[in-house]
Amino acid sequence: MPNLKAIRDRIQSVKNTKKITEAMRLVAAARVRRAQEQVIATRPFADRLAQVLYGLQTRLRFEDADLPLLRKREVRSVGMLVISGDRGLCGGYNNNIIKRAENRAKEIKAEGLDYTFVIVGRKAGQYFQRREQPIDATYTGLEQIPTAAEATKISDELLSLFLSEKVDRIELVYTKFVSLVSSRPVVQTLLPLDPQGLEAQDDEIFRLTTRGGQFEVERSKVATPTRTLPRDMIFEQDPVQILDSLLPLYLSNQLLRALQESAASELAARMTAMSSASDNAKELINTLTRSYNKARQASITDQILEVVSGAEALK
């Protein structure tokens, strides 16, 4: 016969676990909201930067501007910036991005090129260190809601690698946020910058809302204004010099966006994982409760039989 006390203890243990997973789900939801607010807060600067770059593009040909960040060289070595998380308990988020980066490294090696990693996040750092992969720099302990200062620090490292010609191309491997239940690891070339990618484009922002007591994400298109600079505007500096100063800001902004997308993907994955864990805990509690009731009923039946047998023996 099952031990009733052992079943009761296990039910209480699962209930405690369910409280923890539910709390973690709510914390992740609150941080997704903060990430949403930060995306909205950084949009004015991104919009104004896009306007200025678009205006400069109409006044000169980027292809004719001999700038270090636009200059394409023969590729002999590739730097890969990999953005992962510092912690687990977020489903397959870290594993997916690590596998994507590992597969990309194999593709680069198959082309006869060298590569080195710049790692963001403890999980990817530990994985590639154990496998003795070439790592140029590692960044851990970043804020869960990425900041512009952190993006600038990382972009300075990337600029140093590229301008010193230690690498000839820099690729970004990060997780693109799609929805609360979906994200996609992608590879994007950061350096050299592509002039065609600097023109203004429609952007997206995400909003975490609740409907019917459930969290969901709404994505909305945001059109970036593309006002051209006045034809009679006189530049105090050469437009090429202005562009040379703005391109590092553009790179930092692109990197900040990737950090925000990755953070939102990680938090959404954690929300989903903790929600599934809470549902599984609830189902296990119901199963254990049924087992406990059956065992208790069997115990009561045995006790009644013993009483009846004893009464019959006294007759």
Side-chain angles (χ1 to χ4, degrees):
M1 181 181 298
N3 189 326
L4 294 179
K5 183 177 183 305
I7 297 177
R8 283 199 305 269
D9 291 344
R10 191 174 181 200
I11 290 175
Q12 187 59 45
S13 176
V14 175
K15 285 182 177 179
N16 293 338
T17 301
K18 183 175 180 294
K19 290 179 181 178
I20 294 173
T21 56
E22 187 63 21
M24 293 179 68
R25 182 182 75 90
L26 294 176
V27 169
R31 286 175 175 167
V32 168
R33 289 185 185 274
R34 286 176 55 198
Q36 159 195 323
E37 293 170 358
Q38 188 192 44
V39 170
I40 296 174
T42 56
R43 280 210 59 82
F45 173 78
D47 289 346
R48 183 57 59 86
L49 181 60
Q51 291 177 26
V52 174
L53 287 174
Y54 181 80
L56 287 172
Q57 189 180 33
T58 61
R59 298 288 294 270
L60 57 88
R61 290 176 56 86
F62 282 2
E63 293 82 353
D64 298 336
D66 186 19
L67 297 175
L69 298 187
L70 298 177
R71 192 177 303 137
K72 295 184 179 180
R73 306 190 293 261
E74 180 184 356
V75 179
R76 296 184 300 271
S77 180
V78 178
M80 282 190 290
L81 174 63
V82 183
I83 302 177
S84 69
D86 284 333
R87 297 181 296 171
L89 297 178
C90 51
Y93 168 78
N94 289 311
N95 184 64
N96 291 338
I97 197 67
I98 287 172
K99 292 302 181 185
R100 185 68 183 91
E102 194 172 37
N103 291 336
R104 181 56 184 156
K106 291 178 180 177
E107 293 172 359
I108 293 173
K109 189 174 181 180
E111 294 174 5
L113 305 176
D114 295 329
Y115 64 88
T116 185
F117 286 108
V118 175
I119 304 295
V120 175
R122 186 173 292 109
K123 289 297 183 180
Q126 292 174 344
Y127 181 88
F128 289 115
Q129 284 174 2
R130 286 196 299 266
R131 286 154 181 80
E132 299 182 351
Q133 292 289 324
I135 299 177
D136 187 82
T138 303
Y139 298 89
T140 60
L142 273 64
E143 295 289 337
Q144 276 210 307
I145 308 302
T147 64
E150 292 170 338
T152 300
K153 182 179 179 181
I154 298 171
S155 68
D156 287 345
E157 173 66 23
L158 300 179
L159 286 172
S160 176
L161 285 174
F162 184 75
L163 296 178
S164 65
E165 299 189 6
K166 186 175 180 179
V167 298
D168 303 300
R169 186 174 72 226
I170 293 181
E171 297 181 350
L172 170 63
V173 186
Y174 74 104
T175 305
K176 184 174 180 59
F177 181 81
V178 179
S179 69
L180 282 179
V181 295
S182 177
S183 58
R184 184 174 70 255
V186 297
V187 179
Q188 173 185 333
T189 298
L190 275 182
L191 292 172
L193 293 172
D194 183 4
Q196 299 303 320
L198 299 180
E199 55 192 31
Q201 297 177 352
D202 287 348
D203 202 354
E204 286 185 330
I205 59 174
F206 60 89
R207 299 178 186 275
L208 180 64
T209 61
T210 55
R211 181 175 299 175
Q214 299 294 325
F215 290 112
E216 64 178 27
V217 169
E218 294 180 353
R219 296 185 74 100
S220 56
K221 283 281 187 180
V222 179
T224 303
T226 56
R227 295 192 296 269
T228 60
L229 299 178
R231 286 293 177 183
D232 57 352
M233 177 178 287
I234 299 175
F235 294 99
E236 293 185 2
Q237 293 177 302
D238 187 343
V240 174
Q241 293 181 342
I242 299 175
L243 183 61
D244 191 28
S245 300
L246 290 180
L247 288 180
L249 290 177
Y250 177 80
L251 177 65
S252 296
N253 186 69
Q254 290 292 98
L255 184 53
L256 177 59
R257 177 60 188 269
L259 290 171
Q260 291 172 340
E261 291 263 350
S262 296
S265 299
E266 179 184 357
L267 292 170
R270 184 167 288 113
M271 279 182 59
T272 302
M274 293 302 100
S275 179
S276 298
S278 297
D279 293 341
N280 292 337
K282 182 178 180 180
E283 183 177 348
L284 181 57
I285 289 171
N286 292 335
T287 301
L288 290 173
T289 300
R290 287 194 295 269
S291 298
Y292 175 81
N293 291 337
K294 290 179 181 179
R296 186 169 178 271
Q297 185 63 46
S299 176
I300 292 172
T301 302
D302 289 343
Q303 292 175 8
I304 292 175
L305 289 175
E306 290 177 2
V307 171
V308 172
S309 299
E312 289 293 333
L314 294 175
K315 290 182 179 181

